[in-house]
Amino acid sequence: MGVVVGVLHLRLQIPQAMSLKDKRRALKSFKDRIRHGHNVSVAEVDAQDAHRLGVLAVAMTGDDRRYVEGGLQSILNAAANDRNMLLLDAQMEWR
């Protein structure tokens, strides 16, 4: 069995952000929490200049697709339940 790579794209609205600094603070907090709880890589990949919109990509690897999918689903649930942001869209892809 080979390596499984799962990528979760999250499109998030940060309603309380009045500046890019506010947005980056909210996204950094979320990224730090999911990095701490999961062995993943996270990056802001789009909308860097929009102060109320964040687009993150979360990558996770493993040798079992069910394990990777479960981890990414857990992160998706955390994004959906985060009180500082609204989940607008999410897509999971496999490589």
Side-chain angles (χ1 to χ4, degrees):
M1 182 175 257
V3 174
V4 176
V5 179
V7 180
L8 175 63
H9 296 272
L10 300 170
R11 188 172 179 83
L12 305 160
Q13 183 180 22
I14 301 99
Q16 301 89 350
M18 296 299 153
S19 66
L20 288 174
K21 188 175 181 179
D22 291 342
K23 169 191 147 175
R24 292 201 174 98
R25 185 179 308 118
L27 288 179
K28 182 179 183 332
S29 173
F30 180 70
K31 291 188 311 184
D32 289 348
R33 275 185 312 211
I34 62 174
R35 277 189 194 120
H36 180 70
H38 305 275
N39 190 15
V40 296
S41 295
V42 187
E44 185 176 3
V45 295
D46 198 4
Q48 286 91 343
D49 294 330
H51 72 278
R52 288 195 175 137
L53 180 64
V55 181
L56 300 179
V58 182
M60 184 175 185
T61 63
D63 60 0
D64 180 0
R65 181 176 168 143
R66 287 178 297 181
Y67 172 77
V68 174
E69 191 169 7
L72 293 177
Q73 186 62 50
S74 175
I75 292 166
L76 176 57
N77 294 342
N81 294 316
D82 192 291
R83 60 183 169 85
N84 295 316
M85 58 186 77
L86 300 171
L87 178 62
L88 300 176
D89 186 41
Q91 296 177 334
M92 209 176 289
E93 66 181 72
W94 303 96
R95 299 181 183 200

